[in-house]
Structure formats: C-alpha cells, structure tokens
Amino acid sequence: VLLVAYLGYVGLGAGVLQALEGPAEVQAAQNLLQQHWELLANHTCLQGPALRRLIEGIIQAYKSGVTLQGNTTSLGRWDFSGSFFFSISAITTIGYGNLSPSTVAGRIFCILFALFGIPLNLVLLNEIGQLMLLGVQHCAHRLEEVFHWQKKASLLVKTCALVTGLLLFLLLPPLLFSDKEGWSYEEGFYYSFVTLSTIGFGDYVIGMNPDRTYPGWYKNVISLWILFGMAWLALVIKFCINLLE
C-alpha cells in the first residue's frame, strides 16, 4: 500500500510538472531555433558547424566558471571563497551541478573529500539538531516551572521554534538574496527551500553573477545559514515523517 501511494504521489507530480513545464519547454526550443536561423541568415559568413562548436565551447566554459565580459573573461569561481562554498555544497549533498571539478586530480580529490566529508556533515547536523531540541525542551521546562503549564508550554515553545525557524531560514533570507542577487522574493524563497532540503537543482546559485560584486562575508554567512537551516529543516521533516508513520 505504501509503495502504491508513493508511486501515485510521484506520478501525480510528474503529471502536474508535465502540464506546467511542457509548453514552456516547447516555446523555449522554438525560440532557440528561430534565433539560430536568424543569426545564420543575417551573418552569412557564419557556418552551422562553426557556430555549434562556439556554443558548445561557451557552455563548457560556463560550466568551468568562465564567462565572457566584452573582450575579456571573468574568473573567480574557484578562488578560496568559491571553493569553500563548493566544498559545503559537496559534503551537504546539495550538489547544485552548476560547478564541478574539470581536472582528473580534482575529481579524485572530490570523491575522497566527499567520502569522509558526508559522514562528518551528518554527525555535525545531528549534533546541531540535538542542541536545537534541547533548547526547545529547556524552554518548555522553564515555562512549566514558572507558569505551572503542562501541555500548553510544550505547544507554545514548539510553535515559537517553528515560527522562528521559518523566519530565519525561509522567509527572511530571500530579502538578502533580492538585494545581493537581484532575484525576486519568490525566486529567493524557492532557492532557500531547494538548498536547505538538499534538492539542489542548480538553476539558482548565489554568488555566480559576473555582473555583480559580492562582499567577502557573503558566501561564508550563507554557508553557516545552510548548516543551521538544514538541521532545522531536518527536524521539521522528521516531524512530518512521524505524522505519516
């Protein structure tokens, strides 16, 4: 029964996404073909194979963190700050997919780094989650002692913890992303949930716009936000699991 419910839920998601995203995909493909043929028609010196190789080179360079800016290229995705953020996304299993090692040595190191880093990250997240739970239980115990509440104290503290977590990890961060990345609030909220749930589609990633200047503290603060936010969301998901079970 659980397997049928699971497959039914996934099938429902597939059907809805097909209906919502399918027409947009077709329209994007038509626009791309139209632009391709218009470019070749307006610039007769260009040839199809040469243009295709250029496009493939641009895509490959972008995956490596290099973008064109006029007659120059932008670097910086693999500086220490960018590498630190990539390391966080690797061991938290977010894996945005917009940036990956391109050298053999880098890929081998990434495997070894993740092999030991993922368990270390899980242990740390578990400890942070336990500290959050202890804090909630301690507050509830203090309220029971002071006001002689029983079930009300636990419900009140858990509600406050849920609201505080929603504000700190899901509702307020999009305002920062709107300021630093130029995203809309909806895009920032979408990025927040996709990141903290470790889905990590990679369509939105902070600090990757070559046209923007980011402060030095930005990626470091976001890294801490990811760690504590993942621990908080894991507790919420655990509560949802208990309800389902």
Side-chain angles (χ1 to χ4, degrees):
V1 173
L2 183 60
L3 179 60
V4 171
Y6 177 85
L7 293 176
Y9 189 76
V10 174
L12 174 64
V16 172
L17 287 171
Q18 182 182 18
L20 293 176
E21 299 295 330
E25 180 188 30
V26 173
Q27 185 62 44
Q30 292 174 349
N31 292 339
L32 178 61
L33 282 175
Q34 182 179 357
Q35 293 172 4
H36 176 265
W37 291 116
E38 286 179 354
L39 182 63
L40 290 177
N42 295 329
H43 300 81
T44 55
C45 58
L46 287 176
Q47 295 180 352
L51 178 60
R52 186 166 56 252
R53 287 194 297 271
L54 174 62
I55 294 173
E56 291 173 352
I58 292 174
I59 294 174
Q60 187 60 43
Y62 181 79
K63 289 181 178 180
S64 300
V66 180
T67 57
L68 287 173
Q69 289 183 319
N71 293 324
T72 62
T73 56
S74 67
L75 300 173
R77 290 193 179 185
W78 287 112
D79 58 9
F80 184 80
S81 178
S83 300
F84 184 84
F85 187 73
F86 172 80
S87 300
I88 288 287
S89 68
I91 65 174
T92 54
T93 70
I94 295 173
Y96 290 113
N98 69 309
L99 189 64
S100 58
S102 58
T103 64
V104 174
R107 290 168 180 166
I108 293 174
F109 173 77
C110 191
I111 293 172
L112 297 174
F113 180 74
L115 183 63
F116 294 97
I118 291 174
L120 176 63
N121 177 73
L122 291 175
V123 170
L124 177 62
L125 289 181
N126 182 63
E127 290 297 319
I128 293 175
Q130 291 300 321
L131 287 175
M132 289 180 175
L133 278 178
L134 286 175
V136 170
Q137 293 170 356
H138 178 73
C139 291
H141 183 66
R142 291 293 297 171
L143 285 177
E144 289 175 2
E145 290 181 345
V146 174
F147 298 101
H148 303 289
W149 293 343
Q150 293 181 353
K151 293 183 178 180
K152 290 183 179 179
S154 178
L155 179 62
L156 178 62
V157 172
K158 288 179 180 179
T159 303
C160 291
L162 178 62
V163 172
T164 302
L166 281 172
L167 287 172
L168 289 177
F169 302 120
L170 288 178
L171 299 180
L172 292 180
L175 298 177
L176 176 63
F177 300 140
S178 296
D179 178 58
K180 300 301 180 185
E181 304 290 344
W183 299 340
S184 65
Y185 185 86
E186 176 271 327
E187 290 171 327
F189 183 84
Y190 167 79
Y191 167 78
S192 299
F193 181 80
V194 166
T195 295
L196 298 185
S197 60
T198 71
I199 297 173
F201 289 122
D203 48 352
Y204 290 91
V205 184
I206 60 105
M208 295 298 174
N209 190 340
D211 298 324
R212 288 183 172 267
T213 302
Y214 300 99
W217 52 266
Y218 183 51
K219 287 186 177 181
N220 297 328
V221 169
I222 297 303
S223 298
L224 291 176
W225 166 76
I226 289 175
L227 281 177
F228 285 92
M230 284 179 61
W232 172 80
L233 190 60
L235 293 177
V236 175
I237 292 175
K238 183 179 180 180
F239 175 73
C240 294
I241 290 173
N242 291 335
L243 286 179
L244 288 173
E245 290 180 342

